[in-house]
Amino acid sequence: MSDVVIYKTFGEMPWTPQYVEGINKDVCLGCGRCVKLCGQECLGIESFEDDEGTERYVAKIVSKDLCIGCQACGRVCVRKAYSFKPKSA
């Protein structure tokens, strides 16, 4: 089993980045706040037609490789649609 990568904050406190793993599209409102907040441009918006024929918008992960593990997207999400995972060493 791999160890989880742990860094230190400026104040020498241990910190483990939690990288975006997924977005629950059933919960996401498609408001776009997370997309606007992400400084790394990891996220985007996509549209789809739901079962009732209504066009819906949801957040999507555009590039996991750009994620820095700050979890800002999850903190701004009022529906808690994000899941995160630490990186293994």
Side-chain angles (χ1 to χ4, degrees):
M1 187 169 125
S2 299
D3 292 333
V4 173
V5 175
I6 299 174
Y7 297 100
K8 289 189 176 184
T9 66
F10 184 76
E12 297 297 317
M13 302 291 294
W15 176 65
T16 301
Q18 298 286 323
Y19 299 94
V20 64
E21 183 66 20
I23 303 170
N24 184 340
K25 295 184 187 294
D26 295 329
V27 176
C28 179
L29 292 173
C31 67
R33 286 192 279 180
C34 56
V35 177
K36 291 177 186 174
L37 183 65
C38 182
Q40 298 302 112
E41 299 180 357
C42 302
L43 307 171
I45 295 284
E46 68 180 342
S47 66
F48 69 96
E49 198 170 290
D50 67 10
D51 296 338
E52 298 171 358
T54 304
E55 186 176 21
R56 279 195 60 210
Y57 295 92
V58 293
K60 71 174 184 174
I61 301 169
V62 176
S63 179
K64 277 187 180 183
D65 293 341
L66 296 175
C67 182
I68 60 171
C70 68
Q71 292 180 295
C73 53
R75 283 194 292 277
V76 76
C77 182
V78 296
R79 299 293 298 269
K80 308 296 183 210
Y82 282 85
S83 59
F84 299 94
K85 183 178 175 184
K87 185 177 180 181
S88 298

